[in-house]
Amino acid sequence: DMTLTIAATASPAAAVTYKWAYSLDGGTTYLQDSIDNSAATFVIDSTNDADEYVAGTLFKCFVNSDGAATVESEVVTLTQS
């Protein structure tokens, strides 16, 4: 089994929203439909998520605070060894 944890932080932390997204097409399209978008940490568990997220899946986070522009995180790639 494998667990991958991706985290985002913002300062100050008050009133910050996190929207995680993933891409299966090399970053052309990012989807948010099946990801819990509320937490600063996103966890992938191979036991539960093996069919959905495969090696090569890209992930990023959109961070927003009231009255501020949305900031995109760096992209991370799920790899398998």
Side-chain angles (χ1 to χ4, degrees):
D1 292 348
M2 176 213 53
T3 301
L4 168 69
T5 303
I6 308 169
T9 58
S11 180
V16 174
T17 59
Y18 301 91
K19 294 195 182 290
W20 292 96
Y22 68 98
S23 175
L24 299 173
D25 61 6
T28 301
T29 305
Y30 279 88
L31 306 169
Q32 298 178 357
D33 57 341
S34 62
I35 293 182
D36 175 11
N37 286 322
S38 60
T41 303
F42 176 62
V43 178
I44 299 170
D45 180 339
S46 64
T47 307
N48 300 322
D49 301 317
D51 294 335
E52 187 165 3
Y53 306 117
V54 296
T57 302
L58 304 177
F59 294 89
K60 67 179 170 179
C61 185
F62 298 91
V63 182
N64 186 279
S65 182
D66 290 338
T70 299
V71 176
E72 286 184 34
S73 71
E74 298 281 329
V75 174
V76 295
T77 304
L78 181 63
T79 59
Q80 181 178 348
S81 57

